[in-house]
Amino acid sequence: MKNQNQNSITMAIKLFNTPLNILNLLSSFFFFACGLTCGIILTFYFNNFNLNLQVINSQILNYSSSISSQLSPPAVPVPMIHRLGFNDYIKPYNIQHDMNDDELLWRSSMVPKVKKFPFKRVPKIAFMFLTRGPILLSPLWEMFFKGYEEFYSIYIHSNPCYNQSEVAESPIFHGRRIPSKEVQWGKVNMVEAEKRVLANALLDNSNQRFVLLSEACIPLFNFSTVYNYLMNSTKNFVESYDLPGPVGRGRYQSRMSPTIKVEQWRKGSQWFGIDRDLAVEVVSDETYFPVFQKHCMGSCYADEHYLPTFVNMKFKERNSGRSLTWVNWAKGGPHPAQYYRTDVTLEFLEKLRSESNCEYNGKKTSVCHLFARKFTQHSLSRLLRFAPKVMQFNH
């Protein structure tokens, strides 16, 4: 009886608690739904906020970049740096340059103290042509130079107004014109031109002998004979002699004293053949040439007196006193005789080659002139005809 009463009470209590359980369940579901809804809303809101923030940041960065690009200077392209190599020093690739005369003379006067060459060197002769325009006898010179390309260099000083396209020259002269200035006959700027072409030739360390020629010069022997004659010589070839009278000492200017005295005054041909040591001395002279520039005017004719006087004063022992270029002054006047087509014969060329007597390395010889002038363009056809036989070209 007692147990039945207890079960009844228990069931009554469960029945009474059932609504409370349902109410709790509904409350929990309500709060869960509210939390889920708030989560979804907040998630959507923060996603939009981040997107807007990224857009704003991007706009700020773009604006800052545009402002920076406006304020900062434009980018400067980095130039390619040319590395100066050893070959650039011993032999310039291009004879064209932007040096003025003072810079050129300074650069060419440099002499290495180390005598042993750190490279394989083939000694060359620098053939320097002082011309008004084209080298009209270039086909003859082409025959002379053919096959000896490693043993010579060519430099041409011509009037800067000369148009190279007017006359077809041999390829050996192409690209060999140095930066030049106008030259007037009998003026001191003639010597300036000689020093200028000599300085350009000195830039190539392989050049060991230097010969000055004109467009009217011809070779009298083949290349191998000329090369050996110059390279083996113990003397330089600058004509220098004392000449009394109006065309000799009469041209001396007393204002040159005391640097140059009248008894030191010499005359000679401007066409020379010298070694590298003397060439450096010529371009380096800052004592005697300025005196000529200042005082050798009018009938002084610096090209006939500067080098003969300078060499005789300073380097007489190393000089032969004679020129290697034959020329005929027998007709008199300010200019030597010219030679045309009919003047060129086998006998005449043979005479130029051997009808002289001089001294070479302490011994007597009949080979005194390696070149001759003054030959016109009209003589070219006969020169080309006789040269292979008389001058023994291609030997």
Side-chain angles (χ1 to χ4, degrees):
M1 185 69 179
K2 184 178 180 178
N3 291 335
Q4 291 178 350
N5 292 334
Q6 291 178 344
N7 291 335
S8 298
I9 294 171
T10 302
M11 292 180 62
I13 293 172
K14 290 181 178 179
L15 290 172
F16 178 78
N17 289 337
T18 299
L20 292 176
N21 291 335
I22 295 173
L23 183 61
N24 289 335
L25 181 62
L26 291 174
S27 298
S28 299
F29 179 77
F30 173 76
F31 284 114
F32 173 76
C34 289
L36 180 62
T37 303
C38 289
I40 294 172
I41 293 172
L42 289 174
T43 300
F44 179 76
Y45 171 77
F46 282 115
N47 284 340
N48 286 340
F49 178 77
N50 288 335
L51 181 61
N52 291 334
L53 185 62
Q54 292 176 2
V55 171
I56 292 172
N57 287 338
S58 176
Q59 292 176 347
I60 292 174
L61 290 173
N62 291 335
Y63 179 74
S64 300
S65 299
S66 64
I67 294 297
S68 299
S69 63
Q70 294 176 6
L71 295 178
S72 58
V76 178
V78 179
M80 294 190 64
I81 300 176
H82 171 69
R83 296 182 63 183
L84 185 63
F86 185 61
N87 289 333
D88 295 319
Y89 175 75
I90 63 174
K91 181 183 179 181
Y93 176 75
N94 192 340
I95 64 174
Q96 292 293 323
H97 54 76
D98 59 359
M99 290 184 284
N100 60 37
D101 283 352
D102 290 336
E103 294 167 341
L104 174 63
L105 294 175
W106 176 82
R107 171 65 182 83
S108 63
S109 67
M110 295 182 179
V111 178
K113 291 294 184 180
V114 178
K115 299 301 181 183
K116 184 178 180 181
F117 291 93
F119 60 95
K120 183 179 179 181
R121 181 181 65 99
V122 177
K124 296 190 296 186
I125 300 174
F127 290 85
M128 306 175 300
F129 291 86
L130 196 59
T131 74
R132 295 182 181 88
I135 299 177
L136 300 176
L137 302 176
S138 61
L140 179 67
W141 284 104
E142 184 174 8
M143 295 176 63
F144 171 78
F145 286 121
K146 186 177 181 180
Y148 297 94
E149 287 74 16
E150 296 182 3
F151 300 95
Y152 69 86
S153 301
I154 294 175
Y155 302 86
I156 305 172
H157 187 294
S158 59
N159 192 309
C161 297
Y162 165 61
N163 184 353
Q164 300 182 35
S165 63
E166 292 179 353
V167 178
E169 286 184 336
S170 170
I172 63 173
F173 295 108
H174 179 71
R176 303 310 301 174
R177 281 179 164 76
I178 66 167
S180 307
K181 293 183 179 180
E182 187 176 355
V183 174
Q184 297 168 309
W185 179 81
K187 303 295 184 181
V188 74
N189 56 22
M190 179 73 78
V191 182
E192 293 173 352
E194 294 174 13
K195 290 166 72 77
R196 188 178 301 118
V197 69
L198 186 60
N200 276 275
L202 279 168
L203 297 180
D204 187 341
N205 282 266
S206 295
N207 291 330
Q208 295 299 307
R209 295 294 187 275
F210 303 82
V211 178
L212 184 67
L213 303 163
S214 76
E215 70 266 43
C217 286
I218 66 167
L220 294 177
F221 295 88
N222 59 31
F223 185 90
S224 60
T225 301
V226 172
Y227 183 89
N228 291 326
Y229 195 100
L230 288 168
M231 287 298 179
N232 295 328
S233 176
T234 59
K235 299 282 188 177
N236 291 291
F237 298 94
V238 177
E239 188 177 46
S240 178
Y241 56 92
D242 184 13
L243 180 66
V247 296
R249 288 198 179 192
R251 294 176 178 175
Y252 172 77
Q253 304 294 314
S254 59
R255 289 171 295 178
M256 293 181 171
S257 181
T259 306
I260 303 172
K261 300 177 182 179
V262 65
E263 58 268 21
Q264 297 170 316
W265 186 254
R266 294 294 183 271
K267 182 178 179 176
S269 170
Q270 71 178 114
W271 315 109
F272 59 77
I274 61 179
D275 61 22
R276 189 173 184 89
D277 290 339
L278 182 53
V280 171
E281 296 291 347
V282 172
V283 300
S284 304
D285 173 30
E286 295 182 318
T287 301
Y288 303 97
F289 186 58
V291 175
F292 273 82
Q293 288 178 305
K294 187 176 182 180
H295 300 298
C296 191
M297 305 294 179
S299 61
C300 179
Y301 302 112
D303 57 299
E304 294 184 7
H305 295 281
Y306 165 66
L307 204 57
T309 300
F310 173 68
V311 172
N312 183 72
M313 292 178 64
K314 303 293 293 183
F315 310 101
K316 183 178 181 179
E317 296 75 16
R318 292 164 47 190
N319 187 38
S320 65
R322 62 184 178 90
S323 174
L324 293 174
T325 302
W326 182 90
V327 63
N328 183 7
W329 289 98
K331 294 183 179 181
H335 301 287
Q338 288 186 315
Y339 294 95
Y340 299 86
R341 181 180 179 276
T342 55
D343 298 314
V344 179
T345 63
L346 288 172
E347 294 75 20
F348 176 63
L349 294 177
E350 288 287 4
K351 178 182 177 180
L352 298 182
R353 285 163 49 90
S354 60
E355 198 175 82
S356 297
N357 290 290
C358 58
E359 187 176 286
Y360 175 78
N361 289 350
K363 297 181 180 180
K364 297 294 183 179
T365 180
S366 61
V367 180
C368 301
H369 299 106
L370 303 180
F371 312 98
R373 64 187 303 266
K374 223 178 170 182
F375 288 81
T376 66
Q377 186 181 13
H378 303 92
S379 66
L380 180 60
S381 59
R382 284 207 173 188
L383 287 171
L384 294 175
R385 176 183 171 187
F386 297 140
K389 181 178 180 180
V390 178
M391 304 172 191
Q392 299 179 355
F393 287 172
N394 303 322
H395 284 76

